[in-house]
Amino acid sequence: SYVLTQPPSVSVAPGKTASITCGGDNIGSKSVYWYQQKPGQAPVLVIYYDSDRPTGIPERFSGSNSGNTATLAISRVEGGDEADYYCQVWGRSSDPVVFGGGTKLTVL
Amino acid sequence: EVQLVESGGGLVPPGGSLRLSCAASGFTFSTYWMTWVRRAPGKGLEWVANIKEDGTEKYYVDSVKGRFTISRDDAKNSLYLQMNSLRAEDTAVYYCARVWDGIDYWGQGTLVTVSS
């Protein structure tokens, strides 16, 4: 089955840019989705089709995807951005939804 | 406004059964794939099962195959997950969600605890 690899944690100072990576074999050939999950809340889709933002998601959130790595970037990080972030791709019919292991973003 | 509201979670002993329900509103339920995703304590998101718009295709993660059954009733705008032979490792918050450009809407989740 297809495997997505994320760093367990990323720390960033307020106002700086956080980059969260998602590694996968030739992931650049797939569409990547990113979700934000805060404690006690449901996940929220923040990026779809590699780099598109749903309505209501701030422009500070951006995505890119090439080669074996997709990246979620959060600029001008705020305390409210502290959350777990997950990447996701569509796999084969036998394993259609693949999530990365998640990255905990800490704002210092 | 799209809303997904799960119910049916609770405490169940190992080997027991539960049926989760998800009431959908604010969109044409019958035209969307739907999915169940769970998050166990201290773990990340794990996809559980998908069902096609017309219910003719269903997919499951290997760990629940033969034990869980996903179904839908488009007349009632409802999604279900029948869980049998429950194990301790099935303990998690279970989310009902809509599949479109990604998994674009999620319910708030219902907690399933498998313990004696």
Side-chain angles (χ1 to χ4, degrees):
Chain A
S1 62
Y2 194 77
V3 176
L4 296 174
T5 301
Q6 297 182 236
S9 63
V10 167
S11 298
V12 63
K16 299 299 186 182
T17 297
S19 294
I20 298 173
T21 59
C22 176
D25 183 29
N26 197 25
I27 195 174
S29 67
K30 300 177 179 292
S31 289
V32 177
Y33 306 82
W34 290 93
Y35 303 87
Q36 175 195 68
Q37 188 176 30
K38 297 180 180 180
Q41 298 185 21
V44 173
L45 179 67
V46 295
I47 293 289
Y48 65 100
Y49 293 158
D50 296 340
S51 59
D52 289 344
R53 281 186 311 277
T55 303
I57 300 301
E59 291 183 7
R60 300 186 298 105
F61 288 79
S62 62
S64 62
N65 184 19
S66 179
N68 293 319
T69 304
T71 302
L72 172 68
I74 309 171
S75 62
R76 302 184 301 281
V77 165
E78 306 168 354
D81 298 329
E82 273 205 346
D84 294 323
Y85 291 84
Y86 296 88
C87 58
Q88 178 250 315
V89 299
W90 301 112
R92 300 184 177 186
S93 60
S94 59
D95 188 20
V97 183
V98 181
F99 287 105
T103 298
K104 181 176 182 60
L105 178 66
T106 299
V107 181
L108 300 171
Chain B
E1 179 192 6
V2 172
Q3 286 197 328
L4 298 166
V5 180
E6 302 94 337
S7 59
L11 175 63
V12 60
S17 298
L18 274 180
R19 188 194 196 206
L20 305 184
S21 300
C22 172
S25 61
F27 65 103
T28 306
F29 180 74
S30 61
T31 63
Y32 289 87
W33 282 74
M34 297 295 294
T35 190
W36 288 98
V37 175
R38 67 185 178 184
R39 185 172 185 183
K43 300 290 184 67
L45 297 175
E46 180 184 38
W47 167 73
V48 176
N50 276 4
I51 186 167
K52 193 177 179 181
E53 302 99 322
D54 59 5
T56 58
E57 295 182 34
K58 304 176 184 181
Y59 302 97
Y60 301 90
V61 67
D62 283 348
S63 59
V64 309
K65 284 179 182 175
R67 300 188 300 123
F68 290 12
T69 302
I70 189 171
S71 62
R72 64 192 297 160
D73 185 335
D74 289 349
K76 295 182 177 180
N77 289 338
S78 292
L79 179 72
Y80 305 101
L81 187 67
Q82 177 67 44
M83 304 186 297
N84 299 330
S85 303
L86 282 161
R87 306 167 180 168
E89 54 265 36
D90 296 318
T91 294
V93 175
Y94 285 74
Y95 297 98
C96 157
R98 188 180 85 167
V99 177
W100 187 235
D101 290 331
I103 302 173
D104 63 348
Y105 284 95
W106 301 65
Q108 282 303 305
T110 187
L111 176 62
V112 172
T113 303
V114 184
S115 174
S116 54

